[in-house]
Amino acid sequence: MTVKSLGFTALFLVTLAGNGCAASLKGQVVDARTGEPIPGAIVVGVWTRVAGWPGLHHHELIAVKETETDAQGRFALERAAQPAFEDDESLTIYKFGFIAWNNIIAYPSWKRRPTTSVPSQIPLESFPPGASHQEHMIFIENARRASGMYSHDMIPRFSNAIRQEMSLR
């Protein structure tokens, strides 16, 4: 390979990286206690960015996508094709009877996770008896970055999945 072709290859790769190539988020959702896969869990990805002037900024929605885990608890969710200035990637996993998982904040502590990367295996804890479904729903709404940027119509699987828990509030 000549120096010129190496230069073109490097330029091509830098251009792809700068244009925000979409890749898939992949993982397996398992029961934290048993290690068994959890089929039918809903996975919601939300991508936002900060826009506006410093001090007058706001978050803009880039994309929202959802999928469902298969019989082995596996999922693949195509990332949004994002510009290089993307701000946030939030992944929320929900299955009735379990505590929802988010890559940014943890429930019930509401503390930021030390890293926002999505692990290859995501353990869901069973929902504790006597715990507040109302508080859990508030966490879920905050975790999925729902603050008026998109409607439940954009995530029909998720909207259907949380109906039972919403009735327990």
Side-chain angles (χ1 to χ4, degrees), residues 38-141:
I38 299 177
I42 306 301
V43 181
V44 176
V46 179
W47 293 268
T48 60
R49 69 174 168 228
V50 175
W53 297 96
L56 298 172
H57 69 277
H58 62 281
H59 289 268
E60 289 182 347
L61 181 66
I62 295 171
V64 58
K65 298 180 180 190
E66 70 176 349
T67 192
E68 188 172 338
T69 59
D70 65 14
Q72 291 78 40
R74 298 192 185 286
F75 70 89
L77 185 66
E78 179 106 9
R79 278 188 163 109
Q82 306 163 338
F85 48 88
E86 150 272 330
D87 174 50
D88 208 2
E89 175 177 75
S90 176
L91 190 76
T92 303
I93 300 172
Y94 177 82
K95 173 79 176 190
F96 183 76
F98 293 90
I99 294 174
W101 183 91
N102 179 265
N103 68 313
I104 298 172
I105 53 177
Y107 185 83
S109 71
W110 290 76
K111 291 185 179 175
R112 277 190 75 82
R113 293 191 184 274
T115 177
T116 60
S117 62
V118 177
S120 60
Q121 194 171 71
I122 301 160
L124 294 188
E125 300 281 340
S126 294
F127 195 82
S132 169
H133 288 281
Q134 182 173 359
E135 188 177 302
H136 191 231
M137 286 303 303
I138 292 168
F139 167 78
I140 292 167
E141 291 296 302

Side-chain angles (χ1 to χ4, degrees), residues 20-34:
C21 294
S24 291
L25 283 166
K26 295 179 181 179
Q28 182 184 33
V29 179
V30 298
D31 184 309
R33 189 176 48 79
T34 66

